[in-house]
Amino acid sequence: MRRFASSTSHVIVDTLIIGGGVMGLSTAYHLSNLRHADGSKNDPSITVIERDPTYTHNSAVLSAGGIRQQFSLKENVEMSLVGSRFIREHKDELQFQEHGYLFLSTTEQGYAQLQKNLQVQIEAGCSTTEVVSKAELEGLYGDWMNTEDLVAAGRSSSGEGWFDPMSLLQLFKRKACDENKVEYVKGEIVAARREDDSDSSKITHVVIADSPTSTITYHVNTVVNAAGAGAAKVMDILSPPPQIISFPVHPKKRCVFYFKCADDRQPVNAPLTVDKGGVYFRSEGSNFICGVSPDAANDHDCLDVADLERVDHELFTDVIWPTIYNRVPAFGDIKVTSSWAGLYEYNVFDQNAIIGYHPEAKNVVCVNGFSGHGLQQGVAAGIGVSELIERRAFETVDLRRFGYERIIKGEKLLELGIV
């Protein structure tokens, strides 16, 4: 049972961002930049609310930290190109390891899809991805990879790899809060008040519990839902049920395994390699990490963060290890030395981002549901949300297809490159 606050204060703020992870801090940084560029040095004000500033269970921090342009949707390619440029500009600080991605195909159908994806990537302005044949794979990776069952693969020459997620969070926080004077508050949303009209409802006040005995009531113009895996709970407060359609972002558990290999034939600087069933592995220094999403029947919502303390080791023994051992003979001699679990903010509708105003709360902007590729798209998403709020339109990347309207209409926008 939630304790009632014994004291409350009132604050006027222009933009209140719920969630101080990658999406929230990127939005805060880029929105404050836009306003400074427009001559608004101190006002309108921006406040970020984060319930766990230690980021113990933050999705990005617990992820594999990847960035790639090998997607099947133009918008996803364009967003990751924006992210890649930003990460390269801060390569040393973010510890960017530009060792690439490798999407393997064992079927002719998969090969055809890789070719279609490549055309999308080229049309989106990406010039570094390619599809290679089995013979080319043998020449590139045959010293450590079993290519016998492969038909082709998608790969890149640059711009893809992985980086340190916490460093990106810290960079955004420093730039937004220290340099641009965005307010950062530890707290959790507990209530909201709305102003009804004939068309839709506007949020006028948001109540934040900043301690067990006190609250802050924010008088707001705009609210951004950047709450990651907790986005649906936040949306239920901002736009209580019944809604036109239930907010389709669910928290899903994902496990990562860190292992060492004792066989000298092991790969060095292995790209993030995606094999059958979405099983992936990549180098991590002189060792490796790997993972896979559970099958749909076992992919339950993770409603209690305490469940993250239990890693699903059967995924490694039953699914991951047989797949990576088949692909890399040296992985017959490995030892898992650590493992952890984090959350995906999973869009159960079509596994793609929701970016735009909510139809039942006209001043609430959603930036949710990235389904595993939010870290790499956080830069572009923050820019896009900032442009939508400040300029009333997307300018850098046209993200209109990611709006909530597609969900209401039941028109799925499927991304085939989900890992």
Side-chain angles (χ1 to χ4, degrees), residues 1 7 22 59 91 127 162 241 244 280 378 416:
M1 180 180 295
S7 66
V22 167
S59 296
K91 182 173 184 175
S127 60
W162 51 92
I244 295 174
Y280 72 86
L416 301 178

Side-chain angles (χ1 to χ4, degrees), residues 5-186:
S6 60
S7 66
T8 187
S9 58
H10 290 258
V11 177
I12 297 173
V13 64
D14 181 81
T15 305
L16 187 70
I17 300 172
I18 309 297
V22 167
M23 292 300 161
L25 288 174
S26 175
T27 299
Y29 167 58
H30 290 105
L31 181 58
S32 58
N33 271 357
L34 274 184
R35 289 177 173 173
H36 288 186
D38 291 342
S40 301
K41 290 293 183 182
N42 299 309
D43 191 64
S45 53
I46 303 166
T47 296
V48 175
I49 305 298
E50 172 54 44
R51 63 180 179 178
D52 178 22
T54 67
Y55 297 110
T56 302
H57 300 297
N58 179 269
S59 296
V61 172
L62 296 171
S63 74
I67 181 164
R68 58 185 165 101
Q69 289 78 57
Q70 293 185 72
F71 286 100
S72 66
L73 283 180
K74 181 182 179 183
E75 291 89 344
N76 283 334
V77 180
E78 291 174 332
M79 291 179 77
S80 286
L81 283 170
V82 171
S84 182
R85 287 192 291 269
F86 183 90
I87 290 163
R88 276 182 154 179
E89 290 172 3
H90 303 87
K91 182 173 184 175
D92 293 339
E93 181 176 353
L94 299 182
Q95 303 170 54
F96 185 29
Q97 306 296 309
E98 206 166 355
H99 299 311
Y101 266 67
L102 187 64
F103 282 84
L104 304 178
S105 175
T106 59
T107 67
E108 291 293 338
Q109 182 181 5
Y111 172 54
Q113 187 61 57
L114 288 174
Q115 293 280 20
K116 289 180 181 178
N117 294 352
L118 178 62
Q119 291 306 308
V120 172
Q121 293 152 22
I122 292 171
E123 291 169 7
C126 181
S127 60
T128 58
T129 53
E130 61 179 342
V131 175
V132 295
S133 66
K134 177 176 180 176
E136 290 172 305
L137 278 169
E138 179 68 30
L140 289 165
Y141 309 108
D143 57 334
W144 56 266
M145 179 186 291
N146 169 26
T147 62
E148 184 177 352
D149 61 339
L150 294 177
V151 174
R155 68 181 296 272
S156 62
S157 57
S158 64
E160 296 188 326
W162 51 92
F163 59 96
D164 179 46
M166 181 60 88
S167 294
L168 182 63
L169 273 173
Q170 292 171 337
L171 186 153
F172 279 143
K173 188 176 181 183
R174 184 182 73 246
K175 287 182 173 293
C177 302
D178 296 344
E179 298 177 14
N180 290 359
K181 308 306 179 186
V182 168
E183 189 78 14
Y184 182 98
V185 175
K186 178 183 178 181

Side-chain angles (χ1 to χ4, degrees), residues 303-320:
L303 301 176
D304 187 349
V305 292
D307 190 43
L308 298 180
E309 301 303 317
R310 191 187 75 83
V311 174
D312 299 329
H313 289 283
E314 61 273 15
L315 277 176
F316 182 83
T317 56
D318 297 344
V319 181
I320 298 172

Side-chain angles (χ1 to χ4, degrees), residues 132-353:
V132 295
S133 66
K134 177 176 180 176
E136 290 172 305
L137 278 169
E138 179 68 30
L140 289 165
Y141 309 108
D143 57 334
W144 56 266
M145 179 186 291
N146 169 26
T147 62
E148 184 177 352
D149 61 339
L150 294 177
V151 174
R155 68 181 296 272
S156 62
S157 57
S158 64
E160 296 188 326
W162 51 92
F163 59 96
D164 179 46
M166 181 60 88
S167 294
L168 182 63
L169 273 173
Q170 292 171 337
L171 186 153
F172 279 143
K173 188 176 181 183
R174 184 182 73 246
K175 287 182 173 293
C177 302
D178 296 344
E179 298 177 14
N180 290 359
K181 308 306 179 186
V182 168
E183 189 78 14
Y184 182 98
V185 175
K186 178 183 178 181
E188 185 172 2
I189 182 172
V190 293
R193 294 206 297 271
R194 299 150 65 87
E195 179 182 75
D196 293 331
D197 61 31
S198 59
D199 298 317
S200 60
S201 297
K202 179 180 178 181
I203 304 299
T204 57
H205 301 78
V206 176
V207 182
I208 301 295
D210 63 334
S211 82
T213 58
S214 66
T215 63
I216 306 172
T217 298
Y218 287 95
H219 302 244
V220 301
N221 284 327
T222 302
V223 180
V224 178
N225 183 353
K233 288 184 176 180
V234 169
M235 207 64 243
D236 282 347
I237 295 173
L238 296 173
S239 182
Q243 299 166 354
I244 295 174
I245 188 168
S246 179
F247 200 68
V249 178
H250 294 202
K252 302 288 187 179
K253 184 167 78 170
R254 295 294 182 264
C255 301
V256 181
F257 303 87
Y258 178 93
F259 67 91
K260 297 181 178 182
C261 179
D263 193 319
D264 291 339
R265 297 174 298 166
Q266 67 182 277
V268 176
N269 293 332
L272 197 153
T273 304
V274 184
D275 211 324
K276 290 182 289 188
V279 172
Y280 72 86
F281 68 88
R282 68 161 173 83
S283 288
E284 177 67 18
S286 59
N287 299 307
F288 304 89
I289 65 169
C290 61
V292 70
S293 297
D295 60 51
N298 295 301
D299 196 10
H300 309 295
D301 289 358
C302 183
L303 301 176
D304 187 349
V305 292
D307 190 43
L308 298 180
E309 301 303 317
R310 191 187 75 83
V311 174
D312 299 329
H313 289 283
E314 61 273 15
L315 277 176
F316 182 83
T317 56
D318 297 344
V319 181
I320 298 172
W321 185 76
T323 303
I324 64 175
Y325 178 31
N326 171 68
R327 189 60 57 214
V328 184
F331 287 170
D333 189 4
I334 63 175
K335 180 180 180 180
V336 174
T337 58
S338 66
S339 56
W340 61 92
L343 292 173
Y344 267 16
E345 52 165 330
Y346 195 80
N347 180 354
V348 296
F349 177 70
D350 63 6
Q351 297 81 60
N352 253 316

